Amino acid sequence: MPEEGYARLLGLAPEHLGDDLCRTPTTTIIRLAELTTVHAPWTEMALALARRSRIGALGVWDYLVTSALTPLEGIQDAATYFGTVGDTSTDALHVSENGHQVVISHLNQADMAYEAGSAVSAYALGGCLQRLSDAAQRQLVPLRVTLASETPRRHHSLIDLFGTRAIDFEAPVSSMTFLASDLKSPNPQAQPGLSAVLRKHAEQTLASSVALHDWLDLFRAALVSVHDEGAATLAAAARRLAVSPRTLQRRLNEHGTTWHDELEALRQGHITRLLHRTDLTIDAVAAEGGYGDASALRRAVKRWYGTTPGSLRRSGDPTHGSGPVSSSHRS
């Protein structure tokens, strides 16, 4: 693909591609898929993507699959935390048991060209098969594969991808069916307790992620970065975006917000997570949240929620349904 076709797509800047917390927008993924299928059949694109997407390329999601006690438990975790690699507003991974069989389905509701959508679903299933086989330490072969795609003229690439000729097209849903016994066999490389740690990490990643949709999202991603580096100043954020502080303030005004409001919202979210998910003292939360002392933190929490930090902590985290965890267990 010529670079000018994709270089300016939202979310493809090096600082965003290299940051697990920046969520590349679905519109960019769709455009990349559509551009690619202009140069190669969708069947070959799916195989090429799967071969290049080796274990570890998809971060914590890969290890959720490969580190569980069984491949089935791993793919169930992967379905639960699919948001770490996909846009759950358009895509989903479902796992269901039916007697002695397990069906893994990829649902894709994104509005994209037929070839691009077919490639994405075939790649998604092929990537799952790779990781399941890695977990089992042997090549797993589905009993059958169904794809919600028109029958292509040739599909030898898909036979290579799935390791079987039992592939049906024009199905309602793209899926793979396995013998349950294949996915319930013990994972030779499983490490007891590791799955719980990985699930926690996936939750934290999703809670802290920044979806990139427009310029304001790019700014917020930059603000998170400078905040984490301990330099949440207007000048630092402007340098990260390669604009002057004055230009940055003007762009924020154009988007109906201000530097003060954006910094306040970031600190509010950060402080709330610290109170709900750690056992740090109020003084420590104030220091880590960028406040001079506990009194300043109390005033801020009062302004946000009309209560005290202690009362907010005791109320629990409504998005997770659990109280604080020990700070020694934070990643």
Side-chain angles (χ1 to χ4, degrees), residues 59-325:
V60 67
W61 190 83
D62 280 346
Y63 301 113
L64 285 168
V65 183
T66 58
S67 300
L69 296 179
T70 66
L72 177 58
E73 291 180 33
I75 199 66
Q76 288 170 334
D77 280 347
T80 300
Y81 296 104
F82 190 69
T84 58
V85 290
D87 185 341
T88 54
S89 68
T90 58
D91 288 65
L93 194 66
H94 288 172
V95 181
S96 60
E97 287 191 65
N98 182 13
H100 298 295
Q101 298 181 351
V102 173
V103 179
I104 301 170
S105 305
H106 175 254
L107 288 80
N108 179 9
Q109 297 178 331
D111 183 17
M112 65 177 85
Y114 151 71
E115 292 87 354
S118 299
V120 168
S121 282
Y123 159 63
L125 292 178
C128 289
L129 176 59
Q130 284 180 321
R131 283 140 183 83
L132 289 168
S133 296
D134 188 81
Q137 295 286 281
R138 61 187 178 88
Q139 184 60 49
L140 296 177
V141 178
L143 294 174
R144 61 183 174 276
V145 176
T146 68
L147 295 174
S149 308
E150 296 177 9
T151 305
R153 286 185 297 175
R154 301 178 62 191
H155 64 276
H156 60 278
S157 298
L158 298 180
I159 295 173
D160 290 343
L161 177 59
F162 295 110
T164 179
R165 294 181 177 274
I167 303 174
D168 296 324
F169 298 94
E170 301 181 35
V173 176
S174 296
S175 68
M176 299 183 295
T177 301
F178 295 87
L179 283 173
S181 56
D182 281 343
L183 299 191
K184 291 183 177 180
S185 59
N187 178 353
Q189 59 186 357
Q191 300 181 44
L194 180 57
S195 288
V197 175
L198 292 172
R199 287 192 293 268
K200 186 67 176 177
H201 178 68
E203 289 176 0
Q204 292 173 336
T205 298
L206 289 172
S208 305
S209 64
V210 179
L212 302 175
H213 297 298
D214 55 23
W215 179 88
L216 190 56
D217 292 321
L218 294 178
F219 161 76
R220 287 169 176 163
L223 179 57
V224 169
S225 295
V226 296
H227 179 269
D228 290 346
E229 294 168 2
T233 65
L234 177 66
R239 282 195 299 271
R240 183 64 59 93
L241 292 169
V243 298
S244 69
R246 194 171 190 175
T247 297
L248 176 55
Q249 288 178 313
R250 186 180 73 250
R251 292 295 301 274
L252 289 170
N253 289 336
E254 290 171 355
H255 283 79
T257 185
T258 67
W259 167 258
H260 176 270
D261 289 345
E262 292 296 319
L263 183 59
E264 180 88 344
L266 176 67
R267 285 179 170 171
Q268 179 179 352
H270 185 53
I271 291 294
T272 304
R273 286 191 292 273
L274 289 175
L275 289 171
H276 284 145
R277 301 177 196 175
T278 76
D279 59 2
L280 293 172
T281 65
I282 300 301
D283 286 333
V285 170
E288 190 162 333
Y291 289 91
D293 53 36
S295 296
L297 173 64
R298 291 188 182 93
R299 288 194 296 271
V301 173
K302 181 71 172 178
R303 184 170 64 252
W304 299 331
Y305 299 110
T307 188
T308 65
S311 296
L312 182 62
R313 167 171 278 171
R314 288 190 294 273
S315 70
D317 188 343
T319 63
H320 285 74
S322 61
V325 296

Side-chain angles (χ1 to χ4, degrees), residues 22-55:
C22 290
R23 316 305 298 156
T24 304
T26 297
T27 53
T28 292
I29 302 301
I30 290 173
R31 184 58 180 153
L32 287 174
E34 291 175 344
L35 287 170
T36 306
T37 49
V38 168
H39 298 279
W42 69 264
T43 53
E44 294 181 15
M45 177 185 166
L47 177 62
L49 282 171
R51 284 181 171 172
R52 290 172 184 245
S53 180
R54 302 187 183 279
I55 303 299

